[in-house]
Structures are given as structure tokens and as C-alpha cells.
Amino acid sequence: MTETAPRPTLEAVAERAGVSRATVSRVVNGAHGVREALAERVRRAVEELGYVPNQAARSLVTRRHRAVAVVAAEPETRVFADPYFAQQLRGISKELTAHDNQLVLLLTEGREDHARVGRYLAGGHVDGALVFSLHLHDPLPGLVRSAGVPTVFGGRPDWDDGRDDVVYVDSDNRGGARSAVHHLAGLGRTRIAHITGPLDQTSAADRLAGFRDVRAGADPGLIARGDFTPGGGERAMRELLDRCPDLDAVFAANDLSAAGALRVLREHGRRVPEDVAVVGFDDMLPVAEQTDPPLTTVRQDIEGMGRLMARLLLRGLDGTADDDTETPSATAPGVVLPTTLVHRATA
């Protein structure tokens, strides 16, 4: 069996740097009060010896675990198959990594999963939580509250418990939907249909509201419920064609639904955009640029939302003021990022 060399100790670093153990501890744990010349000697000794702080001991001093739970209220089959989640997780991971924090991914599918996540959060394993993809009546907000961990939510909350300290990051879903429908109407389309997302999520509900803002008197038959998946888009598109064969435009609540709708329109011999114009929502490039034809869609900065969620949480944990004028304060109750219509070939 190969013998491993002993790990360098705090005492070894102190000896190499010619300082006290207490000075090394303060530098390693990010404490103030050490002259820069001494701190630089310590950092050099740490690098030369390859010293890695013991996180358990470090946590006793800093009361920080350098770990953040990312809780997605979706089953793993959805999270790992949908590029939306990949983009959001990439943004979160980049921001956490930049600040030397670990990402702990927790997924929920049923009641047992909710209980497990609640126990984990309450167990003191992480410094805070980022929670997204919530559904109506989801127990996660209550579990997070009970656990007492600082939290930033992804998406506008749909609960009202009288508290105004909920921090969240969202896109302008309603305004983005309005821009999509206005664009279709501006093309001269008069029978504009909408494929919704799951209406127990605020993003889908807000996009439906935006559609209705522009098409207040629309035939109810021109609205079909989807679920943010390609299969859901296909089913909704077939339903719409059965009910309203003369439709001439479709606003789909996300790009995956739009991709499914395009397949069904092609199957039915409908030319896009000549016969039916189509607009999606998200601007996920792996989807929007590879549909046939490329998809006109509403862009939201999915990765940027993830980064901002993590940034607000970390700044709240550090208790630092936000000196970046482009980044909203962590004390703001909610941050809504703008959306932009991206013109491609389907509309």
C-alpha cells in the first residue's frame, strides 16, 4: 500500500512564514488586523507547503460552511433533460465558484423528498439556499423558513404570508409575453393562439396574463395548456388545430413547447411562417437556433438570473453593502430582469 505524505499543518505554515500560529489562523480564515507584509508571507508559505485548511475547524471560527444548497422543485428527469435548468445552474455555479463556495444540489419529486430536504437544511450543513421552479402550494418555502436558512428564490413568489422580506429574482414574464403577441399582431395575424406552461407556476401564469393583456377578447379555444416540454407543446398544438384550424399564429410559453408545436405544424402541412407564425420564450440557443426554421423568441437572461440569485445570497451572508450600481441590493424584496424579443425566421 502506498504511503501518503502527512498533510501540512497550521504550525508548519507558521514556522515557514516566521509568524505565530494565531496570525496564520487569522489570514487563512480571512480575518482582518494582520499587516499586509505578514499576510503575504503567510500566503506564500501556504502555497509553498500546499496547505489546505480543515473546513470543519474553519467553520468553528467563521461560522460558515462555504456551501449553498440549490433546491429545484422538480424531479431529476426534468432537471437533467431541460436546458433551462442547465443554464440556470451554470450561472449559479459560476458565481459560487468565484467566491469559493460549494454547490449542493437538492431535487424534490414527492413528499418524502420534501421532508428529506427540510431535514438537510435544518441540519446546519449549508449557509443558505437558492430555491427555484416552485409550484403552487409547494411546501418548500415553509420548510426553508422553518430551517432558518437565508434564502433567495428564483421566480416571483405565489404566496402571501404577510412578510415582505422575501428576496427573489425573476424575468419580466408578463412584459415579454406582451411584446411577443404585439409582434404577431403587428405582422397582421388575427387568430393568435397561446400554448401555456404549467399554470401552477408564476412564470407561466404571468405569460398567460401578458397574452391576455394584448388579446383580451381572444376566443378561449385559442388557449391550450402545455407543460414547458416538447411533448406538451405537441399535444397543445394538436388540440389547437382541432379546435381552431384557421389559426395563423402561436405564442408558446417557452422554446421547448414551441419546438414541439413546430413539429406538429409541419406534420399538418402548415408552412412557418407563411401560414402560421410562431414565437417562443427563453431564447435557449441549443433550441431556438436549431429549430426548423430558427425560432423567433423572447430572450431572458437565464444564466444571469442564476448568477444574480447566488450573488444576492452571498452578499446577504457576508453582510456587505452592494457597491455595484448594476447589481440590485440584497435587501430588495424582488428583482425583475428585462426581456427582449429576438427576431428569427418563424415570425
Side-chain angles (χ1 to χ4, degrees):
M1 183 172 62
T2 302
E3 293 185 3
T4 58
R7 292 176 57 181
T9 63
L10 210 63
E11 289 77 7
V13 175
E15 183 178 352
R16 173 68 66 94
V19 299
S20 69
R21 184 183 187 280
T23 297
V24 174
S25 178
R26 286 198 295 273
V27 174
V28 168
N29 290 309
H32 301 291
V34 179
R35 287 187 290 113
E36 181 56 31
L38 292 182
E40 180 56 33
R41 280 161 53 185
V42 172
R43 288 192 288 267
R44 190 180 309 119
V46 166
E47 183 176 352
E48 291 172 354
L49 293 174
Y51 172 75
V52 178
N54 182 292
Q55 185 58 43
R58 192 175 186 179
S59 296
L60 291 175
V61 176
T62 64
R63 299 186 182 276
R64 288 283 297 277
H65 300 278
R66 314 297 299 182
V68 170
V70 177
V71 187
E74 300 287 353
E76 62 182 32
T77 51
R78 176 77 189 280
V79 170
F80 295 122
D82 190 333
Y84 177 92
F85 295 110
Q87 289 188 31
Q88 193 160 47
L89 288 170
R90 182 163 60 242
I92 291 171
S93 178
K94 283 182 178 180
E95 192 67 23
L96 293 181
T97 300
H99 293 84
D100 195 24
N101 281 260
Q102 300 301 314
L103 183 159
V104 180
L105 181 61
L106 305 173
L107 307 178
T108 64
E109 188 168 5
R111 182 175 302 175
E112 292 183 358
D113 291 326
H114 287 114
R116 171 181 55 81
V117 169
R119 290 194 302 270
Y120 185 85
L121 294 178
H125 305 288
V126 294
D127 300 314
L130 303 171
V131 182
F132 59 88
S133 202
L134 289 170
H135 297 258
L136 186 65
H137 306 309
D138 200 307
L140 277 175
L143 291 173
V144 172
R145 279 266 165 79
S146 297
V149 295
T151 305
V152 175
F153 293 94
R156 178 178 62 82
D158 64 351
W159 67 89
D160 182 9
D161 56 7
R163 297 180 59 161
D164 57 1
D165 60 346
V166 176
V167 180
Y168 69 90
V169 176
D170 201 2
S171 289
D172 184 9
N173 292 296
R174 189 164 183 164
R178 284 197 296 263
S179 69
V181 183
H182 275 306
H183 175 64
L184 291 170
L187 296 175
R189 309 295 170 140
T190 59
R191 297 283 285 168
I192 303 173
H194 178 43
I195 296 174
T196 78
L199 295 177
D200 63 344
Q201 291 189 285
T202 56
S203 58
D206 288 347
R207 291 169 200 178
L208 173 59
F211 172 83
R212 285 175 167 156
D213 287 343
V214 182
R215 310 294 289 180
D219 178 354
L222 285 167
I223 299 174
R225 185 161 180 167
D227 59 5
F228 283 159
T229 69
E234 291 180 2
R235 289 189 296 273
M237 191 69 249
R238 290 192 177 94
E239 182 181 328
L240 287 168
L241 288 173
D242 287 342
R243 290 201 306 246
C244 307
D246 60 340
L247 63 85
D248 58 7
V250 177
F251 165 50
N254 76 336
D255 290 349
L256 292 177
S257 299
L262 286 171
R263 283 197 289 269
V264 172
L265 289 169
R266 190 179 306 112
E267 290 172 3
H268 284 71
R270 304 297 178 91
R271 298 171 303 163
V272 176
E274 293 84 356
D275 301 326
V276 180
V278 178
V279 177
F281 200 113
D282 284 335
D283 195 32
M284 294 187 296
L285 296 185
V287 180
E289 291 187 340
Q290 295 177 19
T291 58
D292 183 19
L295 183 65
T296 296
T297 186
V298 177
R299 183 179 190 273
Q300 60 172 335
D301 186 359
I302 302 169
E303 184 174 322
M305 288 171 62
R307 293 199 74 145
L308 182 54
M309 287 174 64
R311 191 175 306 147
L312 293 179
L313 179 68
L314 293 177
R315 290 182 177 179
L317 291 172
D318 292 337
T320 56
D322 197 336
D323 55 3
D324 183 351
T325 57
E326 295 184 358
T327 301
S329 168
T331 60
V335 180
V336 179
L337 301 179
T339 56
T340 307
L341 185 67
V342 179
H343 297 264
R344 295 194 184 92
T346 59

